[in-house]
Amino acid sequence: MKIAITGKGGVGKTTFAGVLSKVLAEDGYGVLAVDADPDANLPMALGIPEEKLSSITPLSEIKDIIAKRTEAVPGVFGQMFKLNPKVDDIPEKYCIEHDGIKLLVMGTVKAGGSGCICPEHAFLRALMQHLLLTPQEALIMDMEAGIEHLGRATADCVDAFIVVAEPGQRSIQTLKTIKKLALDIGIQKIFVVGNKIRTNEEKSFIINACENISILGFLPYDAALIEADRQGKTPFNKGECYTDEVRAIKDKILNLINN
């Protein structure tokens, strides 16, 4: 089971990705969580302690390895590079593990003008395609906000594509654009999770806006999640209503993918 999670910036996709990873691990799944968002916050959503964070090596920082295996020069625009580099040894070397969840961080360009990161994304795409999972394993990929990753087709090797949407026009517009681009690269199983829901009117707004896109469920606006963020804690143990809803969504995901 390989799942990519995306949406407009600020809709809560990383929180959802983190809690979904936790509830799958709770059910006995072996979980590999991939933080493919340059603004990497998934480690905090997973509750990884600070002393472990320093041991994370983002893939974007192993430029020598990526350059050698993609046959590309880091940061150079317009060059040819290998689309199917060797990646089978990467998870074991660069994952860290916490509470039964393995984490792999993509990382980001750290300075303006650093150049093209297409080889890094080719590397990540090859990694996603290489991973072979048993029925009791799951890959949860927290994508970058917006639509750029779909232009690079980074997520075209997943079983399900989940767009987190909040009750607002900008979020819905991003959702519709993501749907179109996802279909363009052959992703058929596209689902929506409504987030930050406070009223039935907000729920109805998302239902009406989604048209023929399947909705997996709705997550409540929960002040406990804001407090967890202030404390740098995982929302898994802080927002009981939120986590219970994620558990229900997880059951729907398993049914949809397995049927």
Side-chain angles (χ1 to χ4, degrees):
M1 177 171 57
K2 298 178 183 179
I3 298 171
I5 299 170
T6 190
K8 184 182 76 67
V11 295
K13 63 181 185 60
T14 298
T15 298
F16 175 67
V19 176
L20 179 61
S21 297
K22 299 283 280 186
V23 299
L24 282 165
E26 179 183 62
D27 275 4
Y29 277 80
V31 178
L32 172 59
V34 177
D35 195 340
D37 189 341
D39 185 19
N41 291 307
L42 188 56
M44 185 179 297
L46 293 171
I48 295 177
E50 287 190 20
E51 57 269 23
K52 277 191 174 182
L53 294 180
S54 60
S55 64
I56 297 175
T57 302
L59 294 187
S60 62
E61 294 184 9
I62 56 172
K63 290 190 178 295
D64 290 343
I65 293 175
I66 293 175
K68 181 177 180 180
R69 297 188 185 183
T70 61
E71 300 175 6
V73 180
V76 176
F77 288 95
Q79 64 182 318
M80 301 289 288
F81 54 87
K82 196 173 184 179
L83 293 174
N84 58 341
K86 172 182 166 61
V87 291
D88 57 331
D89 59 331
I90 295 301
E92 183 177 352
K93 285 184 178 179
Y94 295 101
C95 282
I96 67 165
E97 186 167 353
H98 180 70
D99 287 347
I101 298 172
K102 293 180 179 179
L103 173 68
L104 190 65
V105 174
M106 175 66 185
T108 186
V109 173
K110 291 188 173 181
S114 298
C116 177
I117 59 168
C118 294
E120 282 90 335
H121 283 281
F123 196 76
L124 176 63
R125 183 172 181 268
L127 178 61
M128 297 303 99
Q129 291 176 323
H130 160 78
L131 289 171
L132 299 176
L133 306 178
T134 72
Q136 279 299 114
E137 293 179 322
L139 165 73
I140 305 297
M141 185 159 48
D142 180 25
M143 304 300 297
E144 64 187 286
I147 61 174
E148 186 179 352
H149 53 89
L150 287 168
R152 292 189 300 264
T154 309
D156 65 345
C157 47
V158 298
D159 299 307
F161 204 73
I162 299 177
V163 186
V164 179
E166 61 186 1
Q169 289 292 351
R170 286 180 295 173
S171 178
I172 296 302
Q173 185 57 50
T174 300
L175 161 65
K176 291 180 178 180
T177 305
I178 286 172
K179 176 192 173 185
K180 179 186 182 301
L181 293 176
L183 290 172
D184 286 346
I185 61 173
I187 299 173
Q188 298 296 324
K189 292 187 176 180
I190 305 167
F191 306 103
V192 172
V193 169
N195 192 27
K196 302 181 184 179
I197 304 300
R198 291 171 289 193
T199 66
N200 287 331
E201 287 76 15
E202 291 181 338
K203 185 182 292 188
S204 296
F205 174 84
I206 289 179
I207 292 172
N208 293 333
C210 283
E211 299 172 349
N212 61 341
I213 309 175
S214 298
I215 300 174
L216 296 173
F218 295 92
L219 301 170
Y221 178 88
D222 194 338
L225 302 184
I226 299 173
E227 180 62 24
D229 185 47
R230 274 199 297 265
Q231 296 175 0
K233 305 291 186 182
T234 173
F236 176 72
N237 298 319
K238 294 293 183 179
E240 290 186 15
C241 292
Y242 182 96
T243 300
D244 285 344
E245 290 298 327
V246 175
R247 289 190 179 100
I249 289 170
K250 175 262 302 178
D251 290 338
K252 286 187 178 180
I253 293 169
L254 295 178
N255 288 331
L256 287 165
I257 289 178
N258 294 329
N259 293 328

